């Protein structure tokens, strides 16, 4: 009897929620539909990684070849180069790019002038909304060996102009720095939100105990946003090897290929350029499995060490 009452209350609660928030549920339909179509439906087509896929026979009619395409990729002469470049770019972006929004948020949190703080925040958010194509174009202009500002400074100091775009050793720093510039302000939003949730009474108590600005930051501010930091770190680890191929492809040329060719650009060239759909799907699936493995390992470590995890 009690179970029926609880069930009835639950149904009534759901019905009231639908009536009260009808507009919100309707607004939810579009993003939910997009997520299903572009995120979940394509999962079924991962099967082509184990087939010799062609348009005529389709997903269910193509010949099953098992692990053929994975073996081909592992035997590819540049497999080590692709994996090494992808790992270099991924870990460099994480090591140098992940702490920057945290530091930026902490610095903004110390600013007392609200007008100045809002101006800095607005200016830092703008680069995020600039397209990757424009970012690369701006970077090429700044680093141009003939008209670039950087080379003008180098020549003024008595050095020789450097063609940054054709030197493989400069590809990684250019990729990481431009990524930090683009996402610094926007990535700091969550940290600023977490900072606003820290009780001011803790700071007041610390001041009474004689704590200075650095001690308050170390003992109150950082622990207060640590759950946010760990969750975002885990989410970044989940896409660690999924380096955006658009940016790498735009920065890529024949002279810096040894540093710029990554798994993402290779999948694009094989899948779109050469129409080897099964092969490119197998390579992309391999990358996805590595990402899942990494996030699972670090999620387990985080759960045991700090009791914070994604699941």
């Amino acid at each position: 009897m009690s179970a029926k009452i609880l069930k009835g209350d639950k149904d009534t609660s759901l019905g009231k929620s639908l009536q009260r928030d009808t507009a919100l549920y309707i607004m939810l339909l579009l993003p939910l539909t997009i997520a299903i179509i572009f995120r979940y439906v394509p999962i079924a087509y991962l099967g082509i990684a184990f087939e010799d896929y062609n348009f005529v026979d389709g997903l269910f009619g193509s010949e099953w070849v098992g692990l053929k395409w994975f073996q081909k990729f592992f035997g590819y002469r540049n497999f080590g180069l692709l994996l090494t470049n992808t790992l270099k770019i991924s870990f460099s972006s994480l090591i140098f790019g992940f702490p920057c929004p945290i530091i930026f948020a902490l610095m903004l949190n110390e600013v007392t002038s609200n007008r100045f703080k809002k101006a800095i925040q607005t200016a830092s958010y703008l680069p995020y909304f600039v397209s990757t194509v424009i970012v690369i174009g701006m970077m090429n202009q700044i680093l141009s060996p003939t008209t670039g500002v950087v080379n003008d400074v180098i020549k003024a100091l008595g050095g020789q102009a450097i063609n940054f775009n054709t030197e493989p050793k400069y590809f990684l720093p250019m990729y990481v720095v431009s990524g930090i510039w683009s996402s610094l302000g926007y990535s700091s939003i969550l940290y600023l939100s977490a900072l606003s949730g820290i009780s001011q009474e803790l700071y007041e108590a610390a001041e009474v105990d004689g704590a200075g600005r650095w001690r308050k930051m170390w003992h109150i501010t950082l622990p207060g946003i640590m759950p946010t930091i760990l969750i975002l770190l885990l989410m970044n680890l989940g896409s660690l090897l999924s380096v955006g191929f658009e940016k790498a492809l735009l920065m890529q040329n024949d002279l810096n290929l040894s540093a710029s060719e990554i798994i993402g650009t290779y999948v694009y060239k094989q899948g779109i350029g050469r129409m080897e759909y099964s092969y490119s799907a197998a390579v992309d699936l391999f990358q996805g499995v590595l990402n899942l493995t990494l996030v699972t390992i670090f999620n387990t470590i985080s759960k045991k060490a700090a009791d914070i995890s994604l699941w």
Side-chain angles (χ1 to χ4, degrees):
M1 183 71 180
S2 59
K4 290 182 179 181
I5 294 174
L6 288 174
K7 184 178 179 181
D9 291 341
K10 186 176 180 180
D11 293 340
T12 304
S13 175
L14 179 61
K16 289 182 178 179
S17 176
L18 288 172
Q19 290 179 352
R20 182 179 66 250
D21 302 320
T22 303
L24 296 178
Y25 284 108
I26 293 174
M27 291 174 63
L28 183 64
L29 284 176
L30 180 59
L32 187 62
T33 303
I34 292 174
I36 292 172
I37 294 175
F38 293 102
R39 294 292 183 180
Y40 291 97
V41 172
I43 292 176
Y45 283 85
L46 287 176
I48 69 176
F50 305 94
E51 298 178 342
D52 189 5
Y53 178 78
N54 62 78
F55 284 112
V56 177
D57 296 326
L59 176 63
F60 301 102
S62 299
E63 180 185 358
W64 184 266
V65 296
L67 301 176
K68 173 185 174 181
W69 304 118
F70 294 94
Q71 293 170 351
K72 179 182 177 180
F73 179 56
F74 296 148
Y76 177 53
R77 66 181 186 277
N78 288 329
F79 170 75
L81 177 68
L82 292 174
L83 188 58
T84 301
N85 287 342
T86 304
L87 289 173
K88 278 184 180 180
I89 294 174
S90 300
F91 279 102
S92 297
S93 300
L94 182 66
I95 292 170
F96 295 103
F98 185 76
C100 288
I102 301 173
I103 297 171
F104 181 70
L106 292 173
M107 292 172 64
L108 275 180
N109 190 54
E110 297 297 321
V111 176
T112 55
S113 173
N114 288 330
R115 181 176 296 181
F116 180 70
K117 182 186 291 188
K118 290 180 180 178
I120 294 297
Q121 283 181 282
T122 303
S124 65
Y125 296 161
L126 290 177
Y128 181 81
F129 300 99
V130 178
S131 70
T132 305
V133 176
I134 296 176
V135 171
I136 301 304
M138 292 170 61
M139 186 168 60
N140 290 338
Q141 291 294 322
I142 294 171
L143 300 176
S144 171
T146 54
T147 60
V149 176
V150 175
N151 274 301
D152 286 344
V153 174
I154 293 174
K155 287 185 285 187
L157 295 175
Q160 293 185 346
I162 302 172
N163 195 340
F164 292 94
N165 294 325
T166 59
E167 291 284 346
K169 64 181 178 180
Y170 294 118
F171 178 84
L172 182 58
M174 289 166 57
Y175 188 99
V176 173
V177 171
S178 61
I180 293 173
W181 177 78
S182 297
S183 61
L184 177 65
Y186 191 82
S187 299
S188 67
I189 293 176
L190 289 176
Y191 300 114
L192 290 169
S193 299
L195 287 169
S196 64
I198 299 176
S199 175
Q200 293 299 314
E201 294 180 358
L202 295 174
Y203 292 107
E204 294 171 1
E207 287 180 1
V208 172
D209 292 337
R213 177 172 294 180
W214 289 104
R215 290 186 63 186
K216 286 190 290 184
M217 182 182 296
W218 184 257
H219 294 288
I220 299 175
T221 307
L222 280 176
I225 63 173
M226 189 55 66
T228 304
I229 293 174
L230 290 177
I231 290 297
L232 291 178
L233 178 60
L234 289 172
M235 293 177 68
N236 284 331
L237 288 170
S239 57
L240 186 63
L241 297 180
S242 302
V243 181
F245 80 94
E246 306 96 336
K247 186 177 176 181
L249 191 66
L250 290 168
M251 295 175 62
Q252 192 177 91
N253 55 62
D254 292 336
L255 297 176
N256 67 12
L257 204 61
S258 61
S260 62
E261 186 75 317
I262 58 176
I263 294 177
T265 57
Y266 183 68
V267 169
Y268 171 77
K269 291 175 183 177
Q270 296 298 316
I272 304 299
R274 302 183 62 179
M275 293 187 292
E276 296 184 1
Y277 303 115
S278 293
Y279 181 47
S280 60
V283 176
D284 196 47
L285 180 58
F286 163 74
Q287 182 174 260
V289 170
L290 282 182
N291 280 329
L292 179 60
T293 303
L294 282 173
V295 74
T296 302
I297 292 172
F298 285 101
N299 186 74
T300 303
I301 295 172
S302 175
K303 189 174 183 178
K304 290 183 177 180
D307 199 25
I308 298 173
S309 63
L310 293 174
W311 62 82

